[in-house]
Amino acid sequence: MITIINGPNLNLLGKREPDIYGSETLEDINSWLMKRFEGVRGYGDSAFDGVWLDFFQSNCEGEIIDKIHEAGFNPQTGGIVINPGAYAHYSIAIRDAIAAVPVPVIEVHLSNIHAREDFRHKSVTAPACRGIISGLGKEGYALAIESLLA
């Protein structure tokens, strides 16, 4: 199983700043990922005929931390893909949760955080992650999943 965690305001995809984040909703992206990895053997039950993706979104820091703990200590979890949204720039608590779990975590951002406002250039969560993918839109999620499956 790969857990995909989306942070604050990602539930507004398709409505919020489409010139930056695109017109697709989070549900569109999740459906696209399910189709993309359908039939690809990955983590989870050996009888399962594809990658088991667990999707989670919250605007609340504590709920995101709880999900990192839940997924990160679940023996069926092969990795976590996280788009912490704005929390990437200031949540030491989410950074510490990522560092505490034994599974690999890859940080994803739809937009290129380095091409935006100065305050978005630094991610405090990224150093606790295996890697970061930024600016490739929904393809960043797929690349992170592929990396965890490799």
Side-chain angles (χ1 to χ4, degrees), residues 79-145:
I80 296 171
V81 175
I82 186 168
N83 182 339
Y87 284 137
H89 312 298
Y90 66 89
S91 180
I92 302 303
I94 290 176
R95 180 252 173 251
D96 289 350
I98 292 168
V101 298
V103 300
V105 179
I106 298 177
E107 183 171 315
V108 171
H109 294 278
L110 293 165
S111 67
N112 180 352
I113 62 174
H114 302 288
R116 299 196 52 204
E117 304 92 341
D118 287 346
F119 70 87
R120 296 186 196 274
H121 294 185
K122 180 170 175 59
S123 170
V124 299
T125 52
C129 295
R130 174 183 279 181
I132 182 173
I133 301 170
S134 176
L136 299 180
K138 69 181 180 184
E139 191 66 34
Y141 290 95
L143 292 170
I145 292 167

